[in-house]
Amino acid sequence: MKNKLNNLTNKEWLKFQKSWFIHNPPPRKKGVLVHPAKFPETMAQEFIEFFTKEGETVLDPMAGTGSTLVAALRAGRNSYGIELNPKYAKIAAKIIEDERKVLGEKVEGLTSKVINGDAANALDLGLATFDYVLTSPPYWNMLRAKGSENQQKRRDSAELDVHYSDDPNDLGNIEDYAKFLEGLIEIYKRLKSLLREKAYLTIIVKNVKKGGKIYPLAWDIARELGKTYTLKDEKIWLQDNQSLAPFGMGSAWVSNTFHHYCLQFRNE
Ligand SMILES: C[S@@+](CC[C@H](N)C(=O)[O-])C[C@H]1O[C@@H](n2cnc3c(N)ncnc32)[C@H](O)[C@@H]1O
């Protein structure tokens, strides 16, 4: 097989083609615990290794504490991240620096750059073209909702953030769902001119529950962004190590939602 997309063997390629996977995040390192919602580098690496070749360049426009960039380094890819919150951008830069020390010579020629800024201004940052975008947005303003046990534990700790920031440009601070969705889609749409022709964009996201109903964030992104990129597929990320909570028990159906959608779009 002539492989134009990545450096995987046929067997590795086939394995990734399954439409669902279980990935239980390994325990987080101390520095990144402060961030309320990151995805695991180990999972990001699998996506990067499927959707790019070694030496290509990945962008995460909402980079948080830099999971995509760390994964890209480990996979031998260049990477750029944009992150609004200066605290997270600083943590990301430090984590990348540490990772570079661990990986040593083999990553010497690779670029990994975190830019502290607003993803809405991505086109003004003088960035070149990317071969892949891997990202995860704020799940609307859910971090501000009275929430899960996990949030409660974080609230009790002075060191851990329970929401990303108070910055008005932080999408996680937009109260109105329609406005939030519009702002988010606009950011993703603008990235089109930075994405190479035929390159992929993966968005990791959940539908969100609020006030006793579902706001289908993943499905809304799929529908709206499918007008700009080709919506190719979904891959379902299952977490199988979470504690079940008795939400609604005895009176109403409320699921314990332990799955995320990894939405695949292509610039074509
Ligand atoms: C779900 S988190 C991303 C976590 C990241 N994937 C990781 O693993 O660390 C979403 C991030 O988007 C950032 N954010 C929110 N609005 C933004 C904006 N307008 N521009 C750039 N980043 C933004 C938040 O500060 C938050 O870190």
Side-chain angles (χ1 to χ4, degrees), residues 114-126:
V114 188
I115 300 161
N116 179 211
D118 186 341
N121 302 328
L123 300 190
D124 307 329
L125 299 174

Side-chain angles (χ1 to χ4, degrees), residues 28 32 35-41 44 60-68 82-86 88 92 115 117-121 134-139 143 163-165 167-173 187 204:
R28 290 211 225 163
V32 296
H35 192 282
K38 72 181 284 304
F39 53 55
E41 295 81 2
D60 186 342
M62 295 181 191
T65 49
S67 316
T68 298
I82 306 170
E83 170 53 47
L84 188 70
N85 185 331
Y88 300 153
I115 300 161
D118 186 341
N121 302 328
L134 173 62
T135 193
S136 178
Y139 291 1
L143 291 177
H163 54 264
Y164 300 128
S165 69
D167 190 320
N169 296 323
D170 180 336
L171 292 170
N173 291 333
I187 287 177
I204 299 181

